[in-house]
């Protein structure tokens, strides 16, 4: 990252991708404050480049970090911005996931379920669908409607590669 950052490239997409990669590494280490800084830098570069696809997808990374940092009102405001973009189906699914994740963290499980269940209408790869279904299971568990998790749990047990989800 340091070597790439020292290039001081005028290519805004490259600058955005450099910062996005660094944000991802920080997020994987649960360093959400640092990740947020890099993702915000990345968003600024993507926005300045005029590339809406990169910008819209990166907004979701910023929102995710804000939720982890419990910056709920800021995340909600940015979600409204992200909802203005109509990208691919993966983007739409992730957008609903972020909205559901925000509601879940605010302990509004019914609204979280409403958002998360919209994901079923979008094609996702198996790992992403298992992740989303796991979130739905958690919401139903929180509102004591365990019986409604069966369909989702069967899918996760059958297809997930994540041992934690299967358990």
């Amino acid at each position: 990252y340091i070597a790439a950052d020292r290039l001081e490239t005028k290519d805004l997409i490259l600058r955005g991708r450099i910062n996005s990669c660094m944000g991802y590494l920080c997020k994987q280490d649960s360093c959400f404050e640092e990740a947020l800084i890099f993702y915000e830098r990345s968003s600024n570069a993507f926005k300045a480049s005029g590339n809406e696809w990169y910008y819209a997808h990166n907004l979701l990374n910023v929102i995710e970090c804000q939720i982890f940092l419990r910056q709920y009102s800021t995340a909600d405001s940015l979600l409204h911005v992200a909802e203005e973009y109509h990208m691919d189906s993966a983007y739409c699914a992730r957008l609903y996931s972020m909205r559901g994740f925000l509601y879940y963290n605010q302990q509004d499980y019914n609204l979280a379920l409403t958002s998360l269940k919209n994901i079923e209408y979008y094609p996702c790869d198996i790992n992403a669908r298992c992740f989303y279904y796991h979130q739905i299971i958690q919401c139903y568990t929180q509102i004591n409607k365990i019986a409604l998790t069966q369909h989702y749990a069967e899918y996760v047990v059958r297809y997930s590669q994540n041992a934690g989800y299967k358990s």
Side-chain angles (χ1 to χ4, degrees), residues 79-86 91 95:
L79 267 167
H80 288 294
V81 173
E83 287 168 349
E84 294 176 16
Y85 293 92
H86 302 284
Y91 177 80
L95 184 64

Side-chain angles (χ1 to χ4, degrees), residues 5 7 18 21-22 27 54 56 58 60 82-85 97 100 115 119 125 128 131 133 146 150 154 156 160:
D5 192 51
L7 292 174
I18 291 167
C21 289
M22 198 60 196
K27 185 175 75 172
Y54 276 118
N58 197 72
L60 301 178
E83 287 168 349
E84 294 176 16
Y85 293 92
S97 174
S115 291
I119 295 167
D125 68 34
F131 173 75
Y133 281 7
I146 307 286
Q150 184 172 347
E154 287 173 354
V156 170
S160 181

Side-chain angles (χ1 to χ4, degrees), residues 88-158:
D88 52 32
S89 60
Y91 177 80
C92 292
R94 190 157 176 238
L95 184 64
Y96 281 117
S97 174
M98 284 299 116
R99 176 65 68 193
F101 186 50
L102 174 63
Y103 289 139
Y104 182 85
N105 280 280
Q106 293 175 311
Q107 298 179 348
D108 193 337
Y109 305 114
N110 289 314
L111 282 176
L113 275 168
T114 301
S115 291
L116 292 169
K117 289 179 86 177
N118 282 321
I119 295 167
E120 292 185 276
Y121 302 109
Y122 294 95
C124 302
D125 68 34
I126 290 173
N127 293 325
R129 188 159 306 279
C130 287
F131 173 75
Y132 299 142
Y133 281 7
H134 184 257
Q135 288 181 316
I136 290 170
I137 291 167
Q138 288 178 315
C139 288
Y140 276 130
T141 301
Q142 290 295 329
I143 60 174
N144 294 319
K145 293 189 177 179
I146 307 286
L148 296 176
T149 67
Q150 184 172 347
H151 159 72
Y152 303 104
E154 287 173 354
Y155 185 92
V156 170
V157 167
R158 176 181 239 163

